[in-house]
């Protein structure tokens, strides 16, 4: 559990940094940020292209979604050609709900695809205590690359499963399959004897991986699902068992532990807006600050051909030498000039005022070298004149879900309608954060002199 002294310290720091977030005060949970008509048209076009990835690059029999594909719509070359990603499939199930909601596919078409996917995971996919392999053959579901049964990748899958279960609540089979898949997952087993911290995974014949989810990263969704499980729950105190490293860049202060995507993935589904846990952390506002720090860091680099007036964004992505974990600010070494569009794309729900201009500027400046059938290529590096030929499913997915949350809040609403999610938030101790104070002008009619009031925090 977070020590009281640390909680008080974090509370003071987080109160202080709240004033540094320009034009980004957290919204009420039933509101979405205002977006101009032109920006909305751009974001909706990006959404539609991103959705097509999950509709076209999934196997119709298994429902599994390919880890990556070519920008032009073809299969990826090399060993990744037939490799499906469990996490990308979770994004894909959510993408189908978005597509049906927008009318890009009919709801019966969407339900058929979702039903087939859930039938595969409920009855055919290899699993261990309910956990699924990280990488699978897209057509058969066979484990690939000696991959582990991954706890966090299974969590992203489960988020899509539960989202689809709610969205298709009137279907006679989909909600039952969704519950069956989620309820089967043995979260207590994944503790591997630890009282509070979950393992990264388990490998057949070798046992549990040594690493645990013990430091802030994309782990939030995993712990919410584990704490809220109706069948194999873990203690709510697990939420306070992992470390919360504190960063500051310029005026931006935030908890972090990895690249920018670690601030995005869990919040694609969990609605943290205007809520704080017992450690007094507003994770939504925390991610706003991490995103703005990423922008400022990018623009402060001496790479004028790469980052400029609007273009910014560094996170894990393809680079000239392959996929790389371009890390958090203190670990951005070496910076080779690779821009990851998913950095801005995945933060649309946090910072539309800097994310939309960044994406629009990338498209305007580089055209079809970075923007194609499925939206943005996974990375590009104008310093080295390198432009990726691939898109990566999880990066397309976070851009799509973040965009939908910005415009409608739908994914937050659909996922949070699942009782285990709200139950977990209650058990953890999340409370409504007080909205920013609105200062009223002093009355003009009184002529007598008022005593000065103590200064109020900005």
């Amino acid at each position: 559990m977070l020590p009281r002294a640390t909680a008080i310290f974090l509370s003071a720091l987080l109160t202080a940094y709240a004033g540094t977030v320009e034009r980004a005060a957290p919204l009420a949970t039933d509101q979405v940020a205002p977006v101009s008509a032109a920006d909305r048209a751009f974001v909706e076009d990006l959404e539609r292209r991103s959705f097509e990835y999950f509709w076209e690059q999934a196997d119709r029999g298994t429902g599994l979604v390919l880890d990556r594909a070519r920008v032009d719509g073809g299969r990826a070359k090399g060993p990744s050609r037939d490799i499906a990603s469990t996490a990308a499939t979770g994004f894909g199930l959510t993408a189908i709900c978005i597509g049906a909601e927008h009318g890009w596919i009919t709801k019966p078409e969407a339900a058929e695809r979702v039903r087939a996917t859930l039938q595969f995971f409920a009855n055919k996919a290899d699993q261990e205590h309910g956990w699924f392999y990280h990488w699978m053959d897209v057509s058969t579901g066979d484990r690939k690359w000696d991959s582990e049964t991954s706890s966090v990748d299974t969590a992203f899958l489960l988020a899509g499963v539960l989202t689809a279960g709610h969205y298709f609540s009137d279907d006679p089979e989909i909600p039952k399959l969704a519950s069956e898949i989620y309820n089967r997952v043995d979260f207590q087993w994944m503790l591997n004897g630890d009282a509070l911290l979950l393992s990264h995974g388990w490998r057949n014949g070798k046992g549990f991986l040594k690493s645990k989810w013990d430091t802030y990263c994309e782990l939030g969704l995993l712990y919410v699902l584990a704490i809220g499980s109706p069948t194999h729950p873990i203690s709510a105190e697990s939420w306070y068992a992992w470390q919360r490293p504190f960063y500051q860049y310029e005026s931006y202060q935030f908890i972090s532990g990895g690249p920018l995507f670690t601030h995005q993935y869990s919040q694609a589904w969990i609605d943290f807006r205007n809520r704080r846990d017992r450690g007094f952390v507003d994770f939504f506002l925390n991610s706003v600050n991490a995103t703005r720090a990423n922008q400022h860091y990018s623009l402060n680099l001496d790479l004028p051909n790469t980052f400029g007036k609007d273009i910014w964004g560094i996170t894990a992505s393809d680079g000239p030498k392959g996929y790389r974990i371009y890390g958090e600010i203190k670990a951005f070494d070496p910076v080779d000039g690779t821009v990851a569009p998913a950095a801005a794309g995945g933060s649309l729900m946090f910072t539309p005022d800097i994310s939309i201009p960044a994406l629009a500027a990338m498209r305007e400046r580089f055209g079809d070298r970075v923007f194609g059938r499925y939206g943005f290529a996974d990375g590009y590096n104008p310093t080295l004149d390198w432009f990726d030929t691939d898109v990566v499913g999880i990066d397309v997915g976070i851009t799509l879900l973040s965009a939908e949350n910005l415009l409608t809040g739908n994914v937050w609403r659909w996922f949070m309608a699942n009782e285990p999610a709200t139950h977990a938030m209650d058990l953890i101790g999340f409370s409504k954060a007080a909205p920013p104070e609105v200062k009223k002008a002093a009355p003009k009619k009184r002529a007598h002199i008022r005593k000065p009031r103590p200064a109020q925090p900005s």
Side-chain angles (χ1 to χ4, degrees):
M1 182 174 178
L2 198 67
R4 179 173 174 78
T6 304
I8 293 172
F9 173 68
L10 285 176
S11 177
L13 287 174
L14 292 168
T15 300
Y17 84 59
T20 70
V21 184
E22 306 102 345
R23 302 184 303 279
L27 301 165
T29 54
D30 59 348
Q31 295 177 335
V32 293
V35 176
S36 71
D39 285 348
R40 177 176 287 273
F42 169 60
V43 174
E44 286 181 343
D45 177 63
L46 176 58
E47 278 197 87
R48 176 68 184 268
R49 292 168 183 261
S50 301
F51 159 76
E52 293 295 343
Y53 175 86
F54 295 100
W55 191 246
E56 295 178 356
Q57 299 298 333
D59 184 88
R60 292 185 177 275
T62 63
L64 291 169
V65 175
L66 286 170
D67 174 57
R68 61 173 59 227
R70 294 179 61 82
V71 173
D72 62 11
R75 282 283 183 99
K77 295 181 179 180
S80 296
R81 177 179 175 83
D82 298 317
I83 300 297
S85 158
T86 298
T89 304
F91 280 105
L93 286 166
T94 309
I96 292 173
C97 300
I98 295 171
E101 187 71 7
H102 283 267
W104 299 330
I105 52 175
T106 67
K107 197 162 184 179
E109 288 177 312
E112 181 180 3
R113 178 72 64 88
V114 167
R115 195 179 302 112
T117 307
L118 299 191
Q119 287 172 345
F120 171 76
F121 278 100
N123 303 317
K124 298 178 182 178
D126 287 339
Q127 50 85 21
E128 184 64 40
H129 288 74
W131 301 91
F132 296 101
Y133 288 111
H134 190 162
W135 309 110
M136 292 183 275
D137 182 280
V138 70
S139 298
T140 66
D142 293 341
R143 179 176 61 144
K144 289 294 184 181
W145 295 345
D146 191 30
S147 62
E148 78 285 7
T149 52
S150 168
S151 52
V152 77
D153 290 275
T154 298
F156 296 136
L157 173 70
L158 293 175
V161 167
L162 293 175
T163 299
H166 171 75
Y167 185 77
F168 294 98
S169 58
D170 57 348
D171 185 273
E173 189 174 5
I174 289 174
K176 295 178 182 179
L177 288 168
S179 294
E180 178 182 340
I181 293 166
Y182 175 49
N183 292 345
R184 185 174 59 188
V185 179
D186 191 340
F187 293 97
Q188 296 173 1
W189 177 77
M190 192 56 75
L191 289 169
N192 185 28
D194 194 293
L196 298 172
L197 294 170
L198 293 160
S199 171
H200 277 210
W202 179 88
R203 183 170 279 116
N204 189 23
K206 299 179 181 179
F208 286 96
L209 304 183
K210 293 182 180 180
S211 297
K212 290 184 176 292
W213 295 107
D214 60 2
T215 305
Y216 177 90
C217 59
E218 67 273 29
L219 54 68
L221 176 66
L222 173 61
Y223 278 100
V224 165
L225 291 169
I227 292 166
S229 170
T231 53
H232 304 285
I234 67 173
S235 169
E237 293 306 311
S238 293
W239 184 263
Y240 300 97
W242 38 269
Q243 301 175 51
R244 303 179 177 198
F246 202 78
Y247 287 70
Q248 177 161 352
Y249 185 76
E250 296 183 343
S251 62
Y252 297 103
Q253 299 172 329
F254 52 96
I255 293 166
S256 193
L260 190 58
F261 81 84
T262 63
H263 294 276
Q264 300 168 344
Y265 281 19
S266 289
Q267 294 197 55
W269 289 279
I270 301 175
D271 187 356
F272 283 123
R273 292 174 297 170
N274 284 339
R275 302 192 72 170
R276 292 182 182 143
D277 67 4
R278 295 202 313 267
F280 305 104
V281 181
D282 180 328
F283 286 97
F284 182 87
L285 189 57
N286 189 72
S287 294
V288 169
N289 271 13
T291 301
R292 293 191 184 279
N294 192 289
Q295 181 216 22
H296 280 233
Y297 183 86
S298 300
L299 299 183
N300 287 338
L301 294 171
D302 187 21
L303 294 168
N305 294 327
T306 298
F307 301 105
K309 177 178 178 292
D310 292 317
I311 296 176
W312 59 274
I314 302 170
T315 189
S317 69
D318 281 352
K321 296 182 179 180
Y323 191 82
R324 286 189 54 187
I325 308 298
Y326 294 100
E328 190 51 77
I329 286 171
K330 290 184 179 179
F332 273 162
D333 185 29
V335 174
D336 63 9
T338 296
V339 181
S347 288
L348 282 163
M349 58 190 169
F350 302 134
T351 55
D353 61 306
I354 60 173
S355 293
I356 295 175
L359 296 170
M362 293 176 200
R363 184 186 65 171
E364 181 177 353
R365 182 175 175 186
F366 298 107
D368 59 10
R369 285 186 291 177
V370 301
F371 194 71
R373 183 177 184 85
Y374 301 133
F376 287 95
D378 199 61
Y380 69 94
N381 190 319
T383 302
L384 301 177
D385 194 30
W386 173 82
F387 293 85
D388 200 359
T389 57
D390 282 3
V391 296
V392 174
I394 53 176
D395 292 337
V396 176
I398 191 57
T399 298
L400 170 59
L401 272 60
S402 186
E404 184 67 14
N405 279 332
L406 166 66
L407 296 183
T408 69
N410 275 339
V411 182
W412 285 326
R413 179 166 54 83
W414 295 332
F415 178 76
M416 298 302 293
N418 287 281
E419 194 273 338
T422 54
H423 181 55
M425 298 283 275
D426 290 340
L427 290 173
I428 291 167
F430 274 93
S431 60
K432 289 287 186 181
E437 180 183 356
V438 178
K439 298 180 181 179
K440 298 180 180 179
K444 296 181 179 180
K445 291 184 178 181
R446 293 184 179 269
H448 67 272
I449 298 174
R450 292 176 177 269
K451 292 181 180 180
R453 294 183 177 182
Q456 298 294 314
S458 59

